[in-house]
Amino acid sequence: AGPRRSRKARGRRPRARRPPLPGANAVAGPLLGLDGAALEPSPQPRYLASRREWRDLPDWIELSDERGRGGGRPFPPLADDPLFRDGGPALLPFLPPGGEPACCRGAVLVCPGGNYEFLHPREGAPIARYFAEALSLRAYVLRYRLLPRHSLHQAHDDLRRAVQYARTTANGGPVLAIGFSAGGHLIATGCAMIGVPAAAERPSGGEG
């Protein structure tokens, strides 16, 4: 006879897998500048870390089991990930399945976290894809400028310009900004600075 199982073990049911969030059918668009113009990929991209530092990246950026081409991996290789490139501010757009929103007005702007040092892949495209497919809205992931190479004022300017562009595509509806960790901080402090001149417009503090 085989080993006896306890009554508790015999009565245990396997946990049902949760269905994946909507988003797999959302349509990814080309990388955009904050003015909505398509950005051409650089033949010599600059990354947030030099290649010799890639082996020491945080696990949540490396994501070795989730990066790759094909095979159901949700994120591109590091070298191809637009959120890992230091190419200036940009928008990653996502549209509902079939392209243009059919009925809903509004747009969503997603700001990933990452300690203002990186941008977390899991807090970018998957969230935008969800809003695009589940709510039939245009959704954008904001690649904002990061510390220490850039300033927090520059990141605020990126957010402000991204919201301005999103409004032009919202069909008269509202723009929702959602952020995680540093991205949430960026949005909250950006809201607190509404009405404050942009960095380029502020006086430098010199005499006069």
Side-chain angles (χ1 to χ4, degrees):
R4 297 181 61 185
R5 295 185 298 170
S6 68
R7 184 175 300 173
K8 182 177 180 180
R10 289 198 303 269
R12 184 180 300 162
R13 295 181 179 179
R15 290 184 178 180
R17 287 188 176 183
R18 293 182 179 180
L21 289 175
N25 298 315
V27 180
L31 193 67
L32 303 176
L34 299 188
D35 59 357
L39 293 179
E40 295 294 332
S42 172
Q44 296 181 328
R46 185 171 62 183
Y47 300 103
L48 297 177
S50 63
R51 285 185 178 269
R52 65 175 177 273
E53 297 174 315
W54 287 15
R55 66 180 64 185
D56 299 320
L57 289 171
D59 292 342
W60 48 272
I61 291 296
E62 183 181 9
L63 295 176
S64 56
D65 294 337
E66 299 177 55
R67 292 190 181 274
R69 296 184 180 90
R73 300 200 174 195
F75 304 113
L78 269 177
D80 299 335
D81 189 345
L83 295 184
F84 189 64
R85 295 191 175 190
D86 188 15
L91 291 168
L92 285 67
F94 294 90
L95 292 173
E100 296 294 324
C103 59
C104 298
R105 296 189 304 163
V108 178
L109 187 65
V110 180
C111 295
N115 199 34
Y116 285 110
E117 183 181 10
F118 298 104
L119 296 174
H120 200 317
R122 293 177 183 151
E123 297 171 358
I127 310 302
R129 284 183 172 277
Y130 168 80
F131 280 105
E133 181 168 331
L135 301 182
S136 191
L137 293 172
R138 289 178 180 269
Y140 304 93
V141 179
L142 173 60
R143 184 177 75 188
Y144 53 91
R145 285 173 284 185
L146 301 170
L147 306 177
R149 186 171 292 171
H150 307 285
S151 70
L152 189 57
H153 289 311
Q154 289 175 310
H156 280 135
D157 286 346
D158 297 341
L159 174 63
R160 176 180 57 84
R161 292 175 59 203
V163 170
Q164 287 177 342
Y165 172 71
R167 282 183 178 144
T168 68
T169 69
N171 297 322
V175 174
L176 167 68
I178 178 172
F180 300 83
S181 189
H185 175 267
L186 179 67
I187 293 171
T189 53
C191 290
M193 294 177 66
I194 291 176
V196 176
E201 302 169 358
R202 284 194 290 271
S204 62
E207 295 182 2

